[in-house]
Amino acid sequence: MGCADGRPGRRGPRRLLLLGPLLVLLLLGGAGPASAHAVLRDADPGDGAVLKSAPRHLTLTFSESVALLDDSFRVLDPDGRRLRVGEPENGPDGADTARVTLPAGLEQGTYTVAWRVVSADSHPVSGAFTFSVGKATVTTAAAALASGPTEDPVTKALHTIARYLAYLSVALLIGTAAFVAVCRPPHVPLHDRLLRTSWWALLAATLVLLVLRAPYESGEGPLGAFDADAAARTLTGRPGIVLLARLALLLAAGAHLLRVSRRRGRYGRPGAALAVGLAATWAAGEHASAGIQVPVAMTSSALHLLATAVWLGGLAALLAALHHGALPAEAVRRFSRVAFASVVVLVVTGVYQSWRGLGGWDALADTTYGRLLAIKLMAVVVLLAAAAVSRRWTALQTTPAVAEPSEDQAVRTKVAAAVGGPPSGPPPEPAGPEPSAGGEPDPAHRRALRRSVLTEVAVGAAVLAVTTLLTSTLPGRAESEAATAAPAVVGASVTDVPFDVGTPGGRGTAQITIDPARVGDNSIEAVVYGPDGGISSVPELRISFTHRGQDIGPLDAALTDKGGYWGNSFLNLPVAGTWEMKVTVRTSDVDQITETRTVTVH
């Protein structure tokens, strides 16, 4: 966004100053996780699992690497009291796992787990589930967590406003500088004010985003920004480093703008490098930095933002110049060509990013991301229609218009031509001002162009607002993965088998628990409940398992009476899948019945 000052010897340090933040951004974008926004793929214990014995650890597995918070796990006991757990850490399987140590000797009942991590694209994700030890019990903690807010609404609102202000400011800053550099209009004081205002606004928005980063990640109120530990975590984490790089580039851009303004210079290569660096901070901190084809996605995202800035920010600069009243026709023609090139870049990169974010046509209507994208596409269509009107007015005001000769002048010309002499009378006057390469456009056309450009600017601001929401929304591709990769229930299998032998007092329910319902050795327990719901004693209980698909079985569970329940600690189920379980209950010497159910072994 500036020009060389004629002293080549000073360019080296300036280029080294720019190189640092750019290298940081390239390093941050070098890894390619599985999908933008982390998706929970597995949990151990699983959601709804009933365990025979208390687990010592909680482990979550995600679709991509995640950053952990001090409060990433909250575990509530059956009475709703919070347990003291260990420090959250990545599991032994890698950075895509989160693990925490549980207290020893958990009591019987249902426990609620609320988790919150930060995905690789810098957006926090959260969820909750339950597991039980011994048997499931009634708990209100899970319902409260599901219905309550997962993040502070004030922090979320302030963060969203700051992100929108950052988008708007960078578009004005880059677009105005590009307009002045490429279109070379006469000096317009309003352009200087636009550059200064957008620079200060972008600086303020970036500082707010940096301050709010910690409470935004943890879901706390804005006062959480004053936590020293949280602030330190922000400054050393990936999103914080991206924002610090943006601040460094902004300071370099401010110094450059000041130098060019004082010398009335022109914007050149250093300004272009700064613009690319600023755009890269968005690519490194949003959806493009995680998912498929990360290098291509980051390049596309940066180009998309640059094209948006050159077009929409340039429109604001054009509107300022039209308001000032001094704008050569050649400057309008140049911006028209630049705007057309920007639209081409926007269409190409937009199509790619839409495909990458959606993953399929169904997501366009079935996901929040898809519906927001559809709204953005409709707004872009309106924007392109307004741009077409602007190009029409541009063509009209940059084409010379010459008036037709009057009837009297036509007669004189014909008479003079008949006698062989020159035409008499003064030459015909043009109907309006004929702009030269640097001339003034027609005032009427300029007013019409100003109105159409104002419409473009207004619609463009709305497009940026939808873009702000899009970049904080789970992409359709990731949402589809979340739906198809729901965490499997890992833990005990509990099956109730009602029975009725047809005699008085001969009905009840056998509750069969297989723990952990995995391939290999399992323990099995069976409790028989009578008609009144109390534990009932029966002379005999037999259970066998058959896997029809693999032609295995029947395998006898070899239950023994343990005094109040029947059980066996060494039941071997050799393959995963659906097993047929036959339960035979004998209530007397001659009365018995066999019921069949299916169980799933993981």
Side-chain angles (χ1 to χ4, degrees), residues 12 18 25 84 108 120 214 229 234 335 414 425 436 446 543:
L18 296 178
L25 297 174
R84 295 176 65 98
Q108 180 175 278
D229 293 337
T234 295
F335 178 73
K414 291 179 181 179
S436 62
R446 186 172 63 235
I543 300 178

Side-chain angles (χ1 to χ4, degrees), residues 450-478:
R450 188 165 58 197
R451 286 193 296 269
S452 64
V453 170
L454 182 60
T455 302
E456 285 188 76
V457 171
V459 179
V463 170
L464 286 179
V466 179
T467 301
T468 303
L469 297 176
L470 265 177
T471 54
S472 60
T473 302
L474 180 67
R477 183 186 295 272

Side-chain angles (χ1 to χ4, degrees), residues 9 68 74 97 122 143 179 204 285 287 295 372 382 388 422 424 489 517 523 531 544 576:
L68 303 179
R74 286 184 295 156
T97 60
S122 80
F179 180 84
H287 291 158
L372 283 173
V382 175
S424 59
V489 175
S523 66
S544 64

